[in-house]
Amino acid sequence: MSRILDGNDPRTILHAAERLGAGEIVAFPTETVYGLGANALNEKAVAKVFAAKNRPEFDPLIVHIGDKDAASQYVTALDPRARQLMDAFWPGALTLVLPKRPIIPDLVTAGLGTVALRMPSHPVALALLRAVDFPIAAPSANPFGYVSPTTAAHVHDSLGDEAGLIIDGGPCKVGVESTVCALTDQHAVLLRPGGVTLEQIESVIGPVRTGEPTQADRRSPGTLLSHYAPRVPVVLLKPGDPLPQPEAGERLGLLSLTLRSDAHGYTRTEALSADGNLLDAAARLFAALRRLDTSGLDRVVIESVPETGMGRAIMDRLRRAAARD
Ligand code: TXA
Ligand code: MG
């Protein structure tokens, strides 16, 4: 049975830590999205995460740690760029892919020679990580391919009893997943845009490679095109495109950055921000997509947002939501 417990109650943290120690899975809040966690050093426990999400085993998990110094236990080398980025953005929404030590089981990393490490900033996540004596492997707490959860209720709605215990830490403040940056060769590579912007990363370590993933990067399956997808068909408008009119009898939904006065005949509209602020828009994005997905609509029209700063992560998720492959 899934149970939702208050993350601000210290007894919840103790109970969750015991469950994790016993090889069970626990859903917990981070500032980006909710994660479905297991003891990263216990392969049997990690297997339960893959099973609950119906996640293919070729998709590696992020390993979460509760303090920066722990990183060197799990990776073989922390080059100067890694240290600079950890100092600038940890705890926070940045995941670093680095060469792994053998202590991290192959199931966690899908057999890759690298591990994705993150120290989150959410106080409940940090309390949990500090209450256990192992790192926590956790993907987003949603069925594979679906929209990530940004509230405890989202976790319960889409994973139900599969989630085991759910720790409620309120709505996620960042609202999109962490940025994944690989530091495995001389070029830093952005594998997934996320809560820390490319501009922020480049201001610390200089130019970072982006764009279409190369053959090697493709091993980060977050780069699979149809990911984060709602079930309702989605149309992503290009900047400047006019709003389509609903066809006769069509139940059309709209997701726009700010409120639009020209959405005539739309059954449901969602605006992500009062004034076009992209940080607010990211924080509201997944909840709005879920509401549109469960409103019995035939189609959802989505407006593009400017692709700078947090807009890059938002547009990445919107393109995936619109992709059908
Ligand atoms: O914000 C987040 O990152 C959330 C919270 C819970 O931390 N987690 C999350 O996990 O989004 P998940 O599993 O949904 O996405 C992890 C991404 C995937 O795209 C995966 O392929 C990539 O990180 N990844 C993990 N390990 C990797 C590795 N060793 N090399 C390359 N990519 C890796
Ligand atoms: Mg995910």
Side-chain angles (χ1 to χ4, degrees):
M1 269 286 284
S2 279
R3 279 185 307 148
I4 302 184
L5 297 181
D6 177 8
N8 294 317
D9 183 340
R11 288 172 302 182
T12 298
I13 302 299
L14 282 179
H15 179 55
E18 269 171 28
R19 304 259 310 184
L20 288 168
E24 296 302 326
I25 59 176
V26 169
F28 65 99
T30 82
E31 72 279 16
T32 56
V33 300
Y34 276 69
L36 187 63
N39 177 352
L41 307 182
N42 176 343
E43 204 149 9
K44 276 195 184 143
V46 172
K48 293 180 185 173
V49 171
F50 281 91
K53 274 186 64 103
N54 203 7
R55 181 176 175 117
E57 289 188 3
F58 60 73
D59 195 356
L61 306 184
I62 294 174
V63 172
H64 299 73
I65 54 179
D67 100 80
K68 289 182 202 174
D69 294 339
S72 56
Q73 295 174 38
Y74 309 115
V75 302
T76 53
L78 279 175
D79 69 28
R81 297 169 305 181
R83 289 190 188 281
Q84 286 171 308
L85 290 174
M86 286 163 54
D87 285 339
F89 303 114
W90 279 10
L94 177 66
T95 295
L96 297 176
V97 174
L98 293 159
K100 85 175 189 84
R101 285 191 191 274
I103 186 175
I104 300 289
D106 282 341
L107 182 58
V108 171
T109 63
L112 298 175
T114 56
V115 61
L117 276 190
R118 173 175 174 224
M119 179 185 176
S121 68
H122 194 298
V124 172
L126 286 176
L128 184 63
L129 285 161
R130 287 168 181 165
V132 296
D133 58 2
F134 43 79
I136 299 178
S140 50
N142 50 282
F144 185 68
Y146 192 60
V147 183
S148 295
T150 52
T151 66
H154 289 165
V155 179
H156 189 263
D157 289 348
S158 53
L159 283 178
D161 293 346
E162 294 291 332
L165 182 68
I166 301 172
I167 308 178
D168 189 351
C172 301
K173 294 213 165 78
V174 176
V176 291
E177 298 84 351
S178 63
T179 303
V180 181
C181 181
L183 295 175
T184 43
D185 66 31
Q186 89 198 65
H187 300 284
V189 180
L190 184 78
L191 295 178
R192 177 176 73 181
V196 170
T197 66
L198 180 64
E199 291 86 342
Q200 286 177 297
I201 295 176
E202 291 191 327
S203 75
V204 175
I205 58 165
V208 171
R209 235 171 51 201
T210 58
E212 276 307 292
T214 62
Q215 204 55 31
D217 307 336
R218 224 178 274 288
R219 301 213 259 179
S220 186
T223 57
L224 283 177
L225 195 52
S226 178
H227 216 78
Y228 315 104
R231 294 185 183 89
V232 62
V234 165
V235 185
L236 182 60
L237 299 181
K238 294 195 186 62
D241 276 358
L243 275 193
Q245 293 305 306
E247 288 159 24
E250 188 184 25
R251 288 175 57 86
L252 204 53
L254 175 67
L255 181 65
S256 57
L257 180 56
T258 53
L259 199 63
R260 291 188 64 143
S261 53
D262 55 346
H264 307 299
Y266 276 70
T267 304
R268 177 157 193 147
T269 61
E270 294 272 354
L272 291 175
S273 158
D275 56 2
N277 181 306
L278 293 172
L279 297 180
D280 292 345
R284 293 181 182 149
L285 177 65
F286 289 153
L289 274 176
R290 280 172 182 258
R291 281 192 297 272
L292 288 164
D293 201 23
T294 51
S295 295
L297 300 169
D298 298 315
R299 200 157 57 115
V300 171
V301 173
I302 302 185
E303 192 180 66
S304 290
V305 305
E307 213 154 343
T308 58
M310 197 62 95
R312 209 174 262 111
I314 296 174
M315 282 303 289
D316 173 80
R317 306 309 186 267
L318 293 180
R319 284 200 188 93
R320 293 171 200 285
R324 283 272 176 271
D325 63 352

